[in-house]
Amino acid sequence: MGLDIRYQAFIEEAGEAAERIRELISEGRFFSVFCHNDADGLSSGAIASVMLLREGARFSTRAVRGIEEILDSLPKLPEDSAIIITDMGSGYLSELRGAVGGRPLIILDHHEPVGEPDESWIHVNPHNHGIEGANEVSGAGVTYFVARALNESNRSYSPIAVVGALGDLQDKSDGRSLHGLNSLIVEDAVKLGLLEVSDDLLLYGRSYRPLHIALASTTSPFIPGISGSESRAVGFLSSLGIKFKEDDRWRVLAELSEEEKKQLYNGLMKYLASLGLPPSIAKELVGKVYELRMEEKWTYLRDAREFASLLNACGKTGKEWLGISVAMGARGETLEEAQRTLEEYRVRLAQAMDYVMREENRQELRHIVAIDGGDVIDERMISSVASIISSSNLLGEDKPLIAMASGDDMVKVSARASKKLVEMGLDLGEVMSRAAQAVGGRGGGHNIAAGAEIPKAKKALFLLEVDRIVGEELGGKV
Ligand SMILES: [Mn+2]
């Protein structure tokens, strides 16, 4: 079977980007690489860094929170430096035109393009070829195809591109497996013996981590009350009568009989239902396991989804460099610090989730559900909390979620909507922008996920405004 013609065109585009990069390297240019600070972004930054390192190029890599940081720093860069932006940029083509000046620019992204790129730029994006960027390839995947075209030996980074895709939840729409261009990357990794794919319950570290720890460390989907707490995971397994110890040895998920696995799965379904949560969350617990075969067991890098959690934790705690280094291949003390970062982050995330899942911390208006993390939830964590709630569907899909956390004198807002609401005409980016403006803040984003920053004193007013605009956009359909 031949390769899909759209894939061929995309891979050709990646090849052109590689040729341009080779040219710029031979001109002796210095490269400034930018990437987003989430798991996919850090994976992208790592692949781009390795790619340049291997060719002996001079470069620096920087992870940023948003496009503003890039737009601010571009004009300050030397006139002759080359710019590579990974996992972001496509959504801001006209803004970039003003900031980049005459510098060579290469954008490796999977977000939907807005505006037109300059003719001199290289713009690699699946959307250029009718390929869905939301779930067929990640920023790390796009960067990987370019790196692979530049040097065959970069195929060894295929597992990092898989990590990036899983970090962006690209397995969500397809029974928790990767598809599209992502499956070509998985193929590369499997062929090289770097990755093993199997079907199972998706608990982190299924083949090597003690069952109760595997259960407690699983956060995608998030199981309220169990995710983040080993003692409660032990209690839960005992209540199901599942043996988690054999003699003096902890059992692992892979050792459970089919019968026991079924028992565990049904127990989780019942548990979720007892919390009033849709049993559909449990479906998220079954699918493809992506195991990085060359990584040590007992590290958080062995399971690709957990690797992504580790990168995400580094990014959300201001330790982006740590995540990029680990993704590039650093181990030893660097890995230990990254693992500690993930452990601390998990505990804090579980506390934050405990807090927001308590009913008294929730406010239901006519068209929205609001959660106020106040000073309890770190403002840098609020978007992760909002993503977990919406991707695990913890509060239903009928009203958008507005999550808030207090910074110094501003309140950080993170909003999420279900696909269903977006199909009904909701555009959260617009809602956030308008409502924030009305109270002297600023906001924006995508139709399905958006955010804002507003003055602390205007919180109540802001919520009313959001509620009103959401009602207006949905035209009384809710
Ligand atoms: Mn991405």
Side-chain angles (χ1 to χ4, degrees), residues 40 87 110-111 139 168:
D40 180 32
D87 192 33
H110 67 131
H111 292 95
D168 264 5

Side-chain angles (χ1 to χ4, degrees), residues 382-394:
I382 195 66
S383 69
S384 302
V385 168
S387 294
I388 287 172
I389 295 175
S390 71
S391 72
S392 300
N393 201 9
L394 296 178

Side-chain angles (χ1 to χ4, degrees), residues 11-32:
I11 289 169
E12 224 163 85
E13 190 171 79
E16 282 160 23
E19 282 322 305
R20 182 79 180 114
I21 289 170
R22 202 187 308 281
E23 232 172 76
L24 292 166
I25 293 174
S26 67
E27 287 168 14
R29 301 262 191 170
F30 184 88
F31 287 81
S32 281

